[in-house]
């Protein structure tokens, strides 16, 4: 068994590498709470005893039970002080700092062997160097022991600061605490960097994975105090983009831990801008959520999409006007559910509403009556003339009836469909087939019919829809389960009735 001696104020403490020493590898973490267990449980005996115990509020004693510290670790931490700041006052962060510190000390004691073998640890060796070079005290002087212990505590506190910056880096906090060493003597700084700092820099980076990820509550506090912290996580989400649903889900998770962040609206705005080139509906949904957060913020600024994104999302002025109407309605009624429902239907094909002009129908009916009357008169006259031209001839003993019809009106060939459509004969035959089948044909039957013409069904149907789209502003032949159907009102518009 290897025994190492570590100097502490007014005494020497022995750290033994035996099984009783706490495992600071990070593999077996004790549950972390966010409150005083004694207050929660109603046990105030320890709190009452604090007035008699001067070490009660010191780091080692305070975390002795929570981190399962052994006696030597408790004594070492009790000599130190942790300068409070917004970051380390968060209990979860403070626990991770102390754990990383204990791992660092264990590494220094185990792997950094002093050049002078008479020192148990490199910290002891460096403490001696500082006392001699900076204070010029000898071991037998009155001030040596106190100064030695004080210097050793300064070294430990500096290592604790290095660990805090290491945890800050893991949690995406760009602001770091000052880690300038107390001594500026070049010889001291050289020895300190060589024996401790350079070793710890490598160790702390390699062991960052042992620092636990911040939990939900801690993330909320960190994001509230560091309003741009979300950008690091958002960059990861953006780089890992695979599909709009997964992206949207991750954005909402990020927003959940930024609930108290005054910049939470920026998360949705940046997300909507990014996803616009991948999925338009997703972009508009996220923009509505941005608008909701912006409306609830102290300053409502209603940021707009950049021009290039607007052109991508809104191909026509009508689309942009429709979106503005949805936004204005939402700003007025704050009904998020209705706004999102409108957005989800925003890019669906819009059918033209058919309006019936009763007056026009009456005029057509009147014209039709007049036409029918004229045709009736013409047909009546034609009948009389045809009867006159009938001649009966008798051949032999049999009578042969010969009828000569003199046409009075020349027959004019008129296309059934609007000539402007420029439909081919095959396309007209297909439309005729739909009419015969009440505008509802099995896909398989139509495929067989088109196949007999030497064509493919999909391309043929698409060609008909393209010819008719300009007139209808909609799709003529649509798919409905195993059938293909035509809207009868649309079909009537194709006919040449005028």
């Amino acid at each position: 068994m290897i025994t190492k001696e570590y100097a502490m104020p007014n005494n020497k403490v022995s750290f033994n590498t035996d099984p009783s020493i706490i495992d600071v590898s990070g593999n077996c973490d004790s549950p972390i709470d966010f409150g005083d267990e004694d207050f929660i449980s109603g046990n105030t005996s320890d709190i009452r005893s604090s007035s008699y115990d001067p070490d009660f509020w010191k780091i080692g004693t305070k975390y002795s039970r929570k981190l399962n510290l052994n006696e030597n670790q408790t004594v070492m931490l009790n000599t130190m002080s942790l300068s409070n700041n917004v970051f380390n006052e968060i209990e979860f962060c403070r626990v991770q700092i102390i754990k990383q510190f204990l791992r660092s000390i264990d590494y220094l004691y185990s792997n950094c062997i002093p050049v002078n073998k008479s020192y148990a640890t490199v910290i002891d060796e460096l403490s001696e160097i500082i006392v001699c070079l900076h204070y010029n005290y000898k071991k037998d002087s009155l001030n040596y022991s106190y100064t030695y212990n004080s210097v050793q505590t300064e070294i430990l506190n500096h290592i604790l600061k290095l660990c805090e910056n290491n945890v800050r880096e893991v949690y995406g906090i760009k602001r770091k605490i000052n880690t300038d060493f107390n001594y500026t003597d070049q010889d001291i700084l050289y020895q300190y960097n060589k024996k401790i700092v350079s070793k710890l820099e490598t160790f702390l980076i390699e062991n960052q994975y042992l620092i636990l990820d911040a939990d939900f509550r801690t993330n909320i506090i960190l994001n509230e105090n560091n309003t741009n912290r979300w950008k690091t996580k958002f960059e990861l989400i953006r780089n890992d983009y695979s599909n709009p649903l997964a992206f949207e889900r991750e954005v909402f998770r990020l927003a959940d831990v930024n609930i108290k962040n005054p910049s939470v609206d920026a998360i949705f705005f940046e997300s909507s801008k990014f996803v616009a080139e991948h999925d338009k509906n997703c972009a508009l949904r996220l923009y509505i959520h941005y608008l909701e957060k912006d409306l609830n913020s102290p300053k409502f600024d209603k940021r707009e999409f950049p021009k290039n994104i607007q052109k991508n999302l809104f191909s026509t002025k009508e689309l942009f006007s429709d979106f503005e109407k949805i936004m204005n309605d939402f700003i007025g009624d704050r009904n998020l559910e209705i706004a999102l429902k409108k957005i989800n239907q925003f890019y669906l094909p819009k059918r033209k509403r058919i309006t019936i002009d009763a007056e026009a129908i009456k005029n057509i009916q009147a014209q039709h009556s007049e036409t029918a009357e004229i045709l009736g008169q013409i047909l009546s006259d034609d009948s009389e003339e045809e009867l006159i031209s009938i001649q009966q001839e008798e051949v032999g003993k049999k009578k042969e009836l010969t009828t000569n019809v003199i046409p009075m009106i020349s027959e004019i060939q008129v296309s059934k469909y609007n000539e402007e459509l420029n439909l081919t004969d095959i396309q007209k035959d297909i439309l005729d087939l739909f009419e015969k089948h009440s505008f509802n044909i099995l896909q398989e039957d139509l495929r067989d019919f088109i196949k007999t013409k030497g064509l493919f069904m999909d391309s043929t149907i698409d060609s008909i829809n393209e010819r008719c789209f300009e007139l209808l502003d909609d799709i003529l032949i649509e798919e409905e389960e195993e059938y293909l159907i035509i809207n009868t009102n649309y079909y009537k518009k194709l006919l040449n009735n005028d």
Side-chain angles (χ1 to χ4, degrees), residues 420-424 427 462-472 494:
E420 292 180 0
L421 296 175
N422 293 321
L423 295 173
T424 65
Q427 292 171 339
D462 289 341
S463 67
I464 296 174
N465 284 334
E466 288 174 5
R467 292 284 179 93
C468 301
F469 187 84
E470 186 173 353
L471 175 64
L472 302 176
L494 307 181

Side-chain angles (χ1 to χ4, degrees), residues 426-435 437 439-462 464-465 477-479 482-486:
I426 296 295
Q427 292 171 339
K428 292 176 181 178
D429 291 343
I430 292 172
L431 294 177
D432 291 340
L433 190 64
F434 269 99
E435 185 179 23
H437 288 80
F439 306 101
N440 195 332
I441 304 177
L442 277 168
Q443 291 191 39
E444 197 63 36
D445 294 343
L446 185 60
R447 182 177 286 105
D448 292 339
F449 173 79
I450 294 176
K451 190 175 181 180
T452 61
K453 306 294 183 180
L455 300 173
F456 294 102
M457 186 174 79
D458 291 343
S459 58
T460 304
I461 297 301
D462 289 341
I464 296 174
N465 284 334
I477 303 175
E478 294 183 292
E479 208 175 306
E482 57 186 357
Y483 289 88
L484 288 171
I485 64 172
I486 288 181

Side-chain angles (χ1 to χ4, degrees), residues 411-419 428 495-498:
E411 184 180 357
I412 302 174
Q413 296 293 328
V414 180
S415 174
K416 180 179 180 181
Y417 299 101
N418 191 327
E419 292 292 340
K428 292 176 181 178
L495 301 178
N496 189 14
N497 296 322
D498 297 331

Side-chain angles (χ1 to χ4, degrees), residues 280-281 284 313-316 318-326 339-350:
K280 295 180 181 180
N281 268 119
L284 297 188
L313 293 175
F314 314 111
S315 56
T316 64
E318 289 75 17
L319 273 179
F320 184 69
S321 298
D322 290 345
F323 181 65
E324 281 194 320
K325 185 179 185 308
I326 294 174
L340 291 176
K341 184 177 180 181
K342 292 178 181 177
I343 290 298
N344 288 331
Q345 300 174 350
F346 188 76
Y347 289 107
L348 294 178
K350 295 178 175 58

